[in-house]
Amino acid sequence: NQVLTGPLNGDGAGGFVGGGFLGPMKSAEEATRYHCAHVSMTYCALLVLSILGDDFSRVDRDAVMRGIRAIQQDDGSFQAVSLGTESDMRFVFSAVATCFMLQDWRGIDVDKTVAFILRSRSFDGGFGILPDQEAHAGAIYCASAALGMLGHLDKVMGDCLVDFLVARQVGGFNGRINKVPDTCYTFWVGGSMQVLGVHDQIDVESARNFILTCQSAIGGFSKVPGKIPEVYPDVLHAHYSVLGLSLMREPGFQPIVAALGMTRRSFLAAPFAQQPGGAKVSTGAPFELPE
């Protein structure tokens, strides 16, 4: 699913797609204008490759960097694909995580990216998906993890953001003010708290009990307990429930590095951590692993 760049799709198409729905690309000349990478799929592809122990030697790094560069907007945000889409915090995180895993920052204007993230902070200390939008746990995770990998997390450290995150726990975690708890926010909120170094403020027993009430008799985890159709398990909520349990050091579960959504063991074995001096943020400083 690595995109081959040719005369029709152009230099900005490099990276990965989520599947082969456009058909196989046997050569760059056969690639159509619609064969263009999606930045979140590029992040996912590199993450899966690193978890599986790949050394990235077959990744066309230059093409990926050209693809990342092509989707950054004047305001510092990123689109999903070079053909043009909405631009918001989801794709900012995906672009930053991609550059971090390749340990190559040529694809982004760091100052513009940081400025966009900071402009997206809300009055209550959280982050919206765009400037002037409601604070949301998913956007907070994307913003804080991106700032951590860029080496600018110090710009948002403070009680206001931490208070917003701690207030999301109502047994389980919700993603926004006045919403019901949902298993996936165990990771979006808890992961943000780990990035900020305050995950010791999670009420582990309450969060764990909520997740376990969402465990299905047929396997996996649902979004919420006791409601149809939400009570049925799905892969996304099972994934984030397991990550949440790992984050809270459930016995038998591997500890995770929330900034990338992978286990600490996989992180340390990944190519970006195996280089001399270990993984580095965009400033050149070492990336600090969570305790």
Side-chain angles (χ1 to χ4, degrees):
N1 290 323
Q2 184 167 206
V3 176
L4 303 174
T5 57
L8 294 180
N9 59 358
D11 262 359
F16 291 81
V17 293
F21 56 92
L22 289 174
M25 288 176 290
K26 296 180 180 178
S27 68
E29 287 70 27
E30 293 181 13
T32 72
R33 66 184 295 265
Y34 300 108
H35 284 102
C36 57
H38 189 294
V39 67
S40 295
M41 298 302 102
T42 300
Y43 153 67
C44 289
L46 293 175
L47 183 64
V48 171
L49 285 172
S50 63
I51 290 171
L52 294 175
D54 191 81
D55 62 3
F56 293 170
S57 61
R58 293 168 292 175
V59 174
D60 189 340
R61 294 166 177 264
D62 289 339
V64 172
M65 288 302 109
R66 291 194 301 269
I68 296 291
R69 194 178 307 119
I71 59 175
Q72 185 162 26
Q73 307 301 293
D74 290 340
D75 66 356
S77 65
F78 290 83
Q79 293 180 331
V81 300
S82 58
L83 284 175
T85 63
E86 72 271 29
S87 58
D88 59 51
M89 199 68 73
R90 297 169 299 172
F91 309 130
V92 170
F93 166 78
S94 299
V96 170
T98 295
C99 292
F100 178 85
M101 285 188 282
L102 292 178
Q103 288 289 281
D104 188 337
W105 300 99
R106 292 175 295 156
I108 68 175
D109 184 320
V110 172
D111 291 338
K112 279 187 175 182
T113 304
V114 172
F116 172 80
I117 295 172
L118 297 179
R119 284 198 307 276
S120 300
R121 195 160 194 191
S122 59
F123 72 93
D124 49 16
F127 286 89
I129 203 165
L130 291 167
D132 303 317
Q133 297 292 306
E134 180 185 11
H136 185 281
I140 293 171
Y141 168 79
C142 290
S144 58
L147 287 172
M149 287 183 279
L150 289 167
H152 291 273
L153 194 59
D154 60 305
K155 291 181 170 62
V156 296
M157 293 299 290
D159 292 340
C160 192
L161 176 55
V162 174
D163 287 348
F164 183 89
L165 291 168
V166 171
R168 304 280 59 75
Q169 185 162 16
V170 286
F173 288 92
N174 62 28
R176 292 180 288 160
I177 294 171
N178 292 329
K179 295 294 183 178
V180 298
D182 174 331
T183 51
C184 70
Y185 291 112
T186 313
F187 176 74
W188 298 125
V189 178
S192 300
M193 293 175 74
Q194 189 197 77
V195 169
L196 295 167
V198 296
H199 51 295
D200 59 335
Q201 296 190 42
I202 296 172
D203 181 341
V204 172
E205 184 177 0
S206 294
R208 181 180 184 275
N209 287 342
F210 176 78
I211 291 174
L212 293 179
T213 63
C214 298
Q215 186 170 204
S216 170
I218 62 173
F221 294 85
S222 61
K223 175 179 179 177
V224 293
K227 290 175 62 180
I228 295 175
E230 289 91 347
V231 71
Y232 298 125
D234 63 84
V235 173
L236 184 146
H237 287 89
H239 171 68
Y240 288 118
S241 294
V242 169
L243 280 176
L245 291 169
S246 296
L247 180 72
M248 296 183 292
R249 299 297 180 92
E250 180 75 9
F253 284 53
Q254 289 286 327
I256 65 167
V257 179
L260 280 175
M262 65 191 305
T263 65
R264 185 184 181 96
R265 182 177 64 185
S266 294
F267 183 99
L268 292 173
F272 45 84
Q274 290 297 306
Q275 64 175 12
K280 296 180 176 61
V281 299
S282 70
T283 60
F287 178 81
E288 294 186 12
L289 283 170
E291 294 295 331

